[in-house]
């Protein structure tokens, strides 16, 4: 049986009080700490291995443009967690996963050998080490200065720094992707919405300097290509770093009106279109945007069962109806592993409203990818669970989600984004430039 490891004392890191760390602390990166700030060593029980650089070499069967073959396909299930044996594993499960198991007795977690596959390019590691001694929170924690290209706070001292690490983590330099999202209703019915998407990252580029950023994290746009009743609508976003100083800019092309309109607000609790009211603007990528409406607490680090190395659900040709079951994603296609995660709590500040008055984030120590989020309402009731099912896109390499889910416990329904099994694979070398992201280009993409 797994031995639960208690929250680690943050004081053990012996950090100075200011946001920046000194050269001696930064020197730990790439030594006893991984280049992004995780603990390199295995855990005491040996159930989490040493980080040895992650997965940087594609399997021999991989060819560019393929959906990524599972490098761990030969791994056997170590054990399965169900509603019946939940008591043995409660201490290493997010509260939302416990509720999912209790609510759906047929659901299960297939737990596999822990594989620390997360990796990034060397320039990201170099930039992260440079950031460690220079990066600071500004504007009350709503912005970051002194950072570029890499993780800003690899040795975090508070919850805001940890969430900024997720927001500003490496996700590639540019991506062209085609993927479906879908709201699966309580009766099991759903309708796929297919989007053609492009992202150009400003912050994470090789050679990026702080002076080059102009307060811009990335440019993003999509056009809906199916179903036909929605096809042609499109969205453009300029994602700022400090969104309190300069609000996120967004434009929408409406096929019916045949015109591009500037959106006054696409952030926080604004509802995303075509999600059946399940996805607010800030749940994309597990959490995005300004952190100013929450109080952030860095609880510490724990060993938890979380989605990881989700190659099985990523494979080409899987029919979407095989993935989307009536109440949950098909558990036979999901993989869970024991990993150390940073636990961060966000409590809604007085005077603001949001369906999620409290969130508890579980952030991967090796990549800063949020892996799970417990969602609570203003009465303190657990009302939902977010999960990011990640893989190492080893051709880059970048560790990121292949599938994102939101379970609405009150409505007995769920939302999924990232279904691409029957679409072209992500292109991390697409011919994309900042010139592609203008209101005029949005109209062209929507047509």
């Amino acid at each position: 049986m797994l031995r639960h490891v208690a929250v680690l004392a943050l004081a053990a890191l012996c950090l100075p009080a200011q946001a920046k760390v000194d050269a001696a602390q930064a020197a730990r990166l790439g030594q006893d700490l991984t280049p992004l700030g995780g603990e390199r060593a295995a855990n005491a029980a040996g159930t989490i291995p040493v980080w040895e650089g992650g997965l940087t070499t594609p399997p021999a069967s991989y060819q560019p443009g393929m959906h990524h073959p599972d490098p761990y396909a030969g791994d056997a299930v170590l054990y399965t967690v169900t509603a019946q044996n939940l008591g043995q594993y409660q201490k290493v499960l997010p509260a939302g996963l416990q509720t999912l198991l209790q609510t759906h007795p047929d659901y299960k977690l297939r737990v596999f050998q822990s594989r620390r596959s997360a990796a990034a390019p060397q320039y990201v590691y170099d930039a992260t080490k440079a950031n460690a001694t220079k990066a600071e929170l500004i504007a009350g924690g709503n912005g970051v200065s002194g950072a570029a290209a890499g993780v800003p706070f690899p040795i975090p001292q508070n919850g805001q720094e940890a969430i900024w690490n997720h927001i500003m983590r490496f996700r590639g330099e540019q991506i062209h992707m085609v993927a479906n999202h879908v709201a699966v209703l309580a009766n099991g019915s759903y309708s796929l919405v297919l989007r053609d998407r492009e992202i150009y990252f400003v912050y994470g580029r090789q050679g990026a300097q702080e002076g080059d950023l102009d307060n811009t994290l990335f440019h993003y746009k999509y056009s809906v290509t199916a179903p036909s009743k929605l096809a042609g609508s499109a969205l453009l976003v300029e994602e700022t770093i400090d969104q309190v100083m300069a609000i996120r800019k967004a434009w929408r092309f409406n096929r019916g009106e045949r015109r591009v309109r500037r959106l006054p607000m696409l952030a926080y609790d604004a509802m995303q279109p075509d999600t059946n009211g399940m996805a607010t603007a800030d749940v994309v990528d597990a959490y995005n945007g300004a952190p100013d409406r929450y109080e952030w607490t860095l609880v510490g680090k724990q060993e938890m069962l979380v989605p990881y190395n989700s190659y099985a659900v990523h494979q080409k040709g899987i029919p979407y109806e095989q993935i989307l079951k009536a109440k949950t994603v098909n558990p036979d296609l999901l993989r869970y592993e024991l990993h150390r995660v940073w636990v961060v709590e966000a409590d809604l500040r007085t005077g603001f409203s949001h369906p999620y008055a409290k969130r508890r984030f579980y952030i991967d120590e090796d990549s800063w990818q949020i892996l799970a989020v417990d969602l609570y309402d203003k009465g303190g009731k657990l009302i939902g669970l977010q999960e990011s099912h990640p893989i190492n896109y080893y051709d880059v390499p970048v560790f990121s989600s292949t599938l994102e889910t939101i379970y609405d416990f009150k409505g007995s329904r769920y939302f999924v984004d990232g279904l691409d099994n029957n679409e072209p694979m992500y292109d991390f070398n697409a011919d994309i430039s900042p010139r592609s992201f203008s209101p005029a280009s949005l109209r062209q993409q929507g047509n």
Side-chain angles (χ1 to χ4, degrees):
M1 188 175 72
L2 289 172
R3 182 173 65 85
H4 172 59
V5 175
V7 175
L8 301 176
L10 294 176
L13 293 175
C14 301
L15 300 177
Q18 70 270 23
K20 296 178 286 188
V21 301
D22 61 26
Q25 288 292 334
R28 297 174 60 195
L29 299 170
Q31 300 299 319
D32 66 300
L33 300 180
T34 71
L36 298 185
E39 296 174 50
R40 181 183 290 272
N43 67 347
T47 48
I48 297 174
V50 174
W51 185 82
E52 297 181 319
L55 183 61
T56 57
T57 303
S61 60
Y62 174 75
Q63 297 294 326
M66 292 176 63
H67 284 64
H68 299 70
D70 185 353
Y72 310 123
D75 287 357
V77 176
L78 296 179
Y79 56 90
T80 302
V81 182
T82 66
Q84 288 68 45
N85 66 0
L86 178 59
Q88 298 179 49
Y89 304 103
Q90 280 181 306
K91 291 182 179 180
V92 291
L93 284 175
L97 262 177
Q98 295 180 44
T99 297
L100 197 65
L101 288 163
Q102 293 165 338
T103 306
H104 305 293
D106 293 335
Y107 195 70
K108 62 186 177 183
L109 305 184
R110 303 187 310 151
V111 180
F112 291 80
Q113 176 182 351
S114 298
R115 302 278 196 172
R116 296 180 71 177
S117 60
Q122 183 61 46
Y123 82 83
V124 175
Y125 298 153
D126 296 340
T128 296
K129 194 166 188 176
N131 291 344
T133 58
K134 297 186 298 181
E136 294 182 288
L137 295 175
I138 58 173
N142 296 315
V144 176
S145 68
V151 170
F153 307 108
I155 307 175
Q157 300 170 64
N158 57 58
Q160 282 182 316
E161 290 184 2
I163 202 66
W164 274 113
N165 286 346
H166 167 78
I167 293 170
M168 302 176 79
R169 74 196 189 284
F170 177 69
R171 286 179 278 171
E173 295 189 271
Q174 63 271 328
I175 313 172
H176 175 236
M177 63 184 83
V178 181
N180 295 273
H181 76 241
V182 60
V184 181
L185 305 184
N187 62 6
S189 65
Y190 61 84
S191 178
L192 296 167
V193 178
L194 184 63
R195 290 176 174 177
D196 189 302
R197 320 178 200 196
E198 292 181 349
I199 309 176
Y200 180 93
F201 291 96
V202 178
Y203 176 85
R205 307 194 73 75
Q206 185 169 6
Q209 301 295 318
E210 185 180 9
D212 303 330
L213 302 179
D214 192 26
N215 194 35
T216 303
L217 194 62
F218 60 79
H219 302 282
Y220 169 72
K221 67 178 178 180
Y222 74 71
S223 61
V224 177
T225 58
S228 58
K229 65 179 180 180
L230 300 176
S233 61
L235 179 75
L236 172 69
V237 172
E238 181 180 311
E239 185 77 355
T240 53
I241 297 173
D242 183 343
Q243 294 193 10
V244 175
M245 178 180 74
I247 193 170
R248 168 189 290 154
K249 299 176 183 177
W251 295 262
R252 186 180 302 283
F253 175 74
N254 185 289
R255 184 184 66 170
E257 295 180 351
R258 310 290 302 172
R259 62 184 298 183
V260 175
R261 290 185 179 274
R262 175 76 182 268
L263 298 180
M265 176 68 77
L266 184 65
Y268 306 114
D269 58 344
M271 201 59 61
Q272 295 183 56
D274 311 316
T275 64
N276 205 254
M278 279 189 279
T280 56
D282 60 5
V283 301
V284 176
D285 191 35
Y287 184 83
N288 71 88
D292 61 311
R293 295 191 178 183
Y294 286 89
E295 296 285 352
W296 298 87
T297 302
L298 185 60
V299 177
K301 199 181 282 187
Q302 292 180 246
E303 295 180 5
M304 303 292 288
L305 289 174
V306 286
Y308 222 90
N309 292 312
S310 305
Y311 290 97
V313 76
H314 170 82
Q315 295 307 298
K316 182 177 178 59
I318 301 176
Y320 296 132
E321 59 268 24
Q322 186 177 331
I323 299 173
L324 304 170
K325 297 305 181 181
K327 298 296 182 181
T328 68
V329 172
N330 185 349
D332 290 325
L333 294 173
L334 303 181
R335 176 176 176 134
Y336 289 81
E337 299 179 4
L338 186 72
H339 283 265
R340 286 185 292 246
V341 296
W342 288 103
V343 180
V344 176
E345 290 187 352
D347 292 281
L348 194 65
R349 287 177 170 166
T350 302
F352 295 107
S353 63
H354 197 288
Y356 308 136
K358 183 182 183 68
R359 311 189 204 198
R360 187 176 177 92
F361 296 89
Y362 303 88
I363 308 176
D364 178 33
E365 70 167 340
D366 289 337
S367 65
W368 296 101
Q369 167 74 52
I370 293 171
L371 300 173
V373 191
D374 296 325
L375 304 169
Y376 297 84
D377 66 13
K378 62 182 180 181
K381 182 179 180 181
L382 182 68
I383 58 171
L385 167 70
Q386 284 178 261
E387 288 188 302
S388 299
H389 297 271
I391 66 170
N392 183 332
Y393 295 84
Y394 36 67
D395 48 323
V396 181
V398 60
F399 190 81
S400 190
S401 63
T402 182
L403 206 67
E404 296 181 5
T405 60
I406 304 173
Y407 289 98
D408 171 23
F409 295 147
K410 292 195 297 185
S412 299
R413 55 189 184 152
Y414 68 101
F415 175 78
V416 177
D417 194 12
L419 290 162
D420 62 2
N421 308 77
N422 299 287
E423 323 303 335
M425 183 33 33
Y426 294 3
D427 183 357
F428 290 93
N429 297 300
D431 185 13
I432 303 172
S433 77
R435 295 187 300 274
S436 304
F437 299 87
S438 67
S441 71
L442 183 66
R443 181 184 179 91
Q444 294 172 356
Q445 184 152 344
N447 284 329

